[in-house]
Amino acid sequence: MKSRNLISYLIIFVSTLAFLWGIPALVRLATYSGQSYPFVYFSSVVKQFCFREGSGKDVRRYDATGRQYSESEFDAALPMFNYRQLAVNGDMPDSINGRAVTVHDIRRSSIIFRYAKTDVSSPHTGLYVLLESMSGRVDLVSPGDAFRLGSTIEFIDIKTNAVNKTKSELYAKELDRRGFTFPAQWAAGDFNTRKPYDEGYFVLDARGQLFHMKQVSGKPFIRNTGAGDSVRVAHFSMLPVADRRFYGFVFDAQGCMYMLESPSYRLTKLGLPPVDMHRSEALIMGNMFYWTVAVTSPEGRKYYALDNETLRQVDEYAIARKANLWDKLSAWIFPVYVTFSDATKYVQPKLNFTTLAALTFNLLLALAYAAAVRKRKKAVAVACSSAYILATGIAGLAAMALLPGRK
Amino acid sequence: MYRSLIFKEWIKTRRFILLSGVAFAALIAYIFLWLAQTSGSMGIVNLWETIISKEFSLVGHVKYLPLAVGLLLAVVQLAPEMQSKRLKLTLHLPMNETRIICTMLGYGLATLLMLFTLATLALVAGISVHFSREIALSNFLTALPWFLGGLQAYLLCAWICLEPVWRQRIFYAIPAACVLFSFYGSASPGAYVAYLPFMLFFIAASFFFSLHAAARFKDGEQ
């Protein structure tokens, strides 16, 4: 067969790609151990980050100065987090920092927000459900239709699977009247009916303007938030909060986070450095005094305490990620390997480069291979194969070993 | 000669093709019955909302059938050729060996493509009756990597079947498993869009692998 050598190279190349993923994946499975971080919360009493780590009888509770706490002392140091336990024990203070507090106040002002790196890169059907924001009922009710946003807006009646032309035209006209430019880039909202209230969707139009769209008493409510005038909006996460202080969080193209206030649409920047939206995850635990923000990246976790009123930073703390066996091993034996990206919900192969030191390992492999086959093969073939092993390492060697030599 | 060769492949595989057609028809009928029952119990509005909000797939039951059909077709078509080295006779036909193997593989691929296309059309058409085009497209994109996985499984299994040495077959199975595994990673609707070019590359590349195995067979490797 004329092209037999070419097919051999193709088999080696495809096998190398498969092994560049398969071999490191198996080694990682055997050697990777996830980093565990302590629970961290900024105390509104001692004005320090407080930490709890371990489990069972080995729990350690301490603050940033190193002071150790008993369980009850820790509860008292974090009344905004442990208010239910304090209330049950009858230890709930009447006031904190000169401000009267009740369990109701704490519950109403507490927020929890999570940002996952996959939030900005996930497949979506392109359909959304718009709830009635002011139905006059306590519970939110499904509308029985869904809408699509493309070059225009179309509502689809779910039972008939047909476009509801009247409603579609009503919304399209209102969007047009408010200056919305189609096609929409994305819409962010939450149509879960178990939330306390509904604020519809925040939609980014073709010009980068962020619009608020909801249904009020059966009519469209469309407003340009103006956020697009001051920042380049990249992402919006909606968060229904009990006191309706804000709609959610805007991320700009640099990863800076802003609170979008309700109902003024004023943007207030959070006192954080930019968050790498494709590599980092964020958790915000807020209360009426301080917000504790944890930003986790592959390098470690950083904690920030923000003042609840101004959202300015009052303290910060960092815990570097400890290298595990996989990190050490991969830095020596896999200069390059393939993974499927965890920064997106799309299946996307990603080339990872570790350290140049790992090329030493590849060089040793290539030299060992050359020494082993130099008497059986031509010098040019040995040189080419060794160069291939130098570039691809174990994966290339395994792929070459796969094919038998010719008689 | 091509017609004779294709007729020979048809004789070997006709029962299996019929059986596969029945298996696909039964599975598609089951999916539609299950859909009718699910939308009846939870309500069509609720079902739509679950699909939109929770990445709920309507075609999840299809996942491993194309893989099984692809693997088994290769075995049914090529295992008889390797028994008592009958492939030797086939390769002695008055035709270039590359053309013979390509015709055999082409027949298998065309058969699978026909089965998979009919199954996909039936699924998408059925879903489109009660669901919007976005939901139909999203389910099509969910099932697409599984059907491509069926084609890939056929070609890799053909490569392994045509390899004359058992030890080599085991070696070949390792990268083949790695490649196939990557087709079955995530069930999120539309998650494989970015990986489609890689899948098509693997399928196109592995078409030629069998030629290498057949050449080794002709060389008399044992």
Side-chain angles (χ1 to χ4, degrees):
Chain A
M1 191 191 300
K2 285 178 197 166
S3 49
R4 188 166 168 179
N5 279 345
L6 268 179
I7 297 173
S8 298
Y9 299 146
L10 193 61
I11 294 174
I12 290 172
F13 180 65
V14 169
S15 302
T16 304
L17 287 180
F19 290 150
L20 275 174
W21 167 69
I23 296 172
L26 281 176
V27 175
R28 190 177 193 272
L29 195 68
T31 57
Y32 185 83
S33 53
Q35 168 88 25
S36 67
Y37 294 101
F39 167 77
V40 180
Y41 201 85
F42 192 77
S43 167
S44 49
V45 177
V46 296
K47 311 281 189 329
Q48 295 279 346
F49 281 109
C50 291
F51 305 80
R52 186 183 63 211
E53 62 182 318
S55 59
K57 288 181 181 173
D58 299 326
V59 177
R60 280 181 64 226
R61 302 173 190 85
Y62 54 96
D63 66 22
T65 62
R67 186 190 154 194
Q68 302 284 325
Y69 290 82
S70 68
E71 187 174 25
S72 55
E73 287 172 337
F74 199 71
D75 288 346
L78 301 177
M80 292 291 112
F81 186 76
N82 298 311
Y83 64 91
R84 286 191 306 146
Q85 187 63 51
L86 291 171
V88 167
N89 296 350
D91 294 334
M92 185 69 204
D94 296 333
S95 65
I96 297 169
N97 298 333
R99 192 167 155 189
V101 290
T102 64
V103 169
H104 175 74
D105 293 337
I106 296 172
R107 191 174 288 155
R108 197 174 147 73
S109 59
S110 293
I111 61 157
I112 290 188
F113 168 74
R114 280 189 180 81
Y115 168 77
K117 54 194 170 188
T118 52
D119 286 357
V120 284
S121 181
S122 297
H124 193 273
T125 53
L127 290 174
Y128 310 88
V129 175
L130 187 63
L131 301 174
E132 169 58 54
S133 298
M134 214 178 275
S135 65
R137 305 288 303 168
V138 175
D139 295 326
L140 295 164
V141 187
S142 294
D145 59 23
F147 71 91
R148 63 168 68 103
L149 268 172
S151 54
T152 182
I153 185 169
E154 279 185 328
F155 283 84
I156 307 150
D157 183 80
I158 290 178
K159 283 192 176 148
T160 60
N161 192 20
V163 174
N164 180 338
K165 285 188 178 163
T166 317
K167 191 170 179 181
S168 304
E169 278 171 18
L170 185 69
Y171 273 79
K173 272 185 190 166
E174 186 61 16
L175 280 164
D176 189 48
R177 196 172 74 81
R178 293 286 177 178
F180 187 92
T181 311
F182 282 102
Q185 296 189 48
W186 46 254
D190 173 15
F191 70 86
N192 164 26
T193 52
R194 282 172 292 178
K195 61 193 176 186
Y197 60 91
D198 178 69
E199 281 296 344
Y201 286 85
F202 283 83
V203 189
L204 196 70
D205 80 351
R207 291 178 300 125
Q209 290 293 327
L210 189 68
F211 282 77
H212 186 190
M213 178 175 91
K214 60 180 176 176
Q215 181 171 303
V216 179
S217 306
K219 289 177 184 158
F221 173 97
I222 316 283
R223 296 287 184 276
N224 185 349
T225 64
D229 293 330
S230 45
V231 298
R232 235 180 93 205
V233 180
H235 177 68
F236 179 79
S237 288
M238 189 172 268
L239 183 69
V241 286
D243 62 1
R244 293 198 175 205
R245 179 184 173 192
F246 57 91
Y247 295 111
F249 297 102
V250 170
F251 290 73
D252 71 13
Q254 283 74 45
C256 295
M257 279 180 79
Y258 302 82
M259 180 174 83
L260 185 64
E261 289 185 23
S262 167
S264 65
Y265 300 120
R266 195 165 72 95
L267 281 178
T268 308
K269 191 170 184 289
L270 272 65
L272 306 171
V275 174
D276 186 337
M277 289 192 288
H278 299 284
R279 293 175 77 236
S280 301
E281 310 211 308
L283 170 69
I284 297 177
M285 292 181 288
N287 61 54
M288 58 203 293
F289 296 107
Y290 298 103
W291 289 13
T292 306
V293 184
V295 179
T296 311
S297 68
E299 289 77 35
R301 187 175 283 180
K302 287 184 176 170
Y303 300 91
Y304 305 93
L306 310 182
D307 179 81
N308 177 51
E309 295 301 323
T310 61
L311 299 185
R312 288 200 183 120
Q313 195 182 117
V314 292
D315 204 352
E316 67 177 315
Y317 191 86
I319 300 176
R321 182 174 163 271
K322 288 176 193 152
N324 57 40
L325 185 56
W326 161 251
D327 295 319
K328 291 170 192 163
L329 207 60
S330 61
W332 281 104
I333 63 173
F334 299 122
V336 57
Y337 62 96
V338 175
T339 53
F340 285 98
S341 175
D342 61 351
T344 167
K345 281 193 178 174
Y346 288 101
V347 176
Q348 224 166 28
K350 181 182 152 199
L351 266 183
N352 301 274
F353 298 93
T354 53
T355 58
L356 279 177
L359 275 177
T360 316
F361 179 75
N362 282 11
L363 183 65
L364 290 175
L365 275 182
L367 290 174
Y369 173 83
V373 301
R374 74 192 155 88
K375 285 182 183 165
R376 283 185 281 133
K377 292 192 173 183
K378 289 178 186 169
V380 178
V382 173
C384 289
S385 303
S386 300
Y388 189 70
I389 293 171
L390 181 65
T392 57
I394 299 173
L397 181 65
M400 284 169 56
L402 204 73
L403 276 191
R406 286 172 72 172
K407 277 183 181 174
Chain B
M1 185 56 71
Y2 284 113
R3 282 183 64 183
S4 310
L5 202 55
I6 288 168
F7 184 68
K8 182 172 78 74
E9 299 308 304
W10 165 248
I11 296 291
K12 279 189 287 179
T13 57
R14 60 188 170 177
R15 285 197 188 92
F16 178 74
I17 292 168
L18 184 69
L19 199 71
S20 303
V22 171
F24 269 110
L27 186 76
I28 290 165
Y30 171 76
I31 287 172
F32 290 144
L33 283 173
W34 166 79
L35 251 180
Q37 201 175 33
T38 308
S39 66
S41 61
M42 67 194 285
I44 187 78
V45 173
N46 212 344
L47 183 57
W48 267 63
E49 289 177 359
T50 309
I51 292 166
I52 295 169
S53 65
K54 299 208 168 81
E55 300 179 350
F56 184 71
S57 166
L58 303 176
V59 293
H61 296 99
V62 175
K63 193 167 187 178
Y64 294 109
L65 186 61
L67 176 77
V69 169
L71 285 174
L72 288 174
L73 179 66
V75 173
V76 167
Q77 189 186 353
L78 299 168
E81 296 285 347
M82 301 310 285
Q83 266 182 347
S84 318
K85 297 189 178 164
R86 272 182 237 161
L87 184 64
K88 202 178 270 180
L89 294 174
T90 310
L91 293 180
H92 276 91
L93 289 170
M95 196 174 174
N96 178 300
E97 70 186 62
T98 305
R99 285 187 186 178
I100 293 172
I101 298 296
C102 286
T103 308
M104 290 166 75
L105 293 181
Y107 167 84
L109 280 180
T111 305
L112 287 177
L113 271 173
M114 188 189 68
L115 270 173
F116 294 170
T117 307
L118 286 175
T120 308
L121 284 175
L123 277 171
V124 172
I127 289 170
S128 302
V129 175
H130 293 294
F131 299 94
S132 71
R133 61 172 186 256
E134 288 83 0
I135 294 174
L137 177 68
S138 152
N139 280 283
F140 167 71
L141 290 175
T142 304
L144 185 61
W146 303 335
F147 284 111
L148 291 177
L151 299 180
Q152 180 68 91
Y154 168 75
L155 290 169
L156 292 172
C157 190
W159 175 40
I160 293 167
C161 281
L162 287 172
E163 166 58 42
V165 181
W166 262 105
R167 192 189 60 183
Q168 281 307 123
R169 285 181 180 165
I170 295 166
F171 286 168
Y172 291 169
I174 302 168
C178 286
V179 169
L180 265 183
F181 197 77
S182 71
F183 283 51
Y184 290 86
S186 165
S188 289
Y192 266 90
V193 171
Y195 194 58
L196 275 177
F198 294 93
M199 295 166 107
L200 294 175
F201 165 73
F202 283 133
I203 290 170
S206 56
F207 182 86
F208 300 100
F209 292 3
S210 295
L211 297 177
H212 185 270
R216 277 174 48 75
F217 181 88
K218 205 173 178 188
D219 286 351
E221 297 283 356
Q222 306 224 9

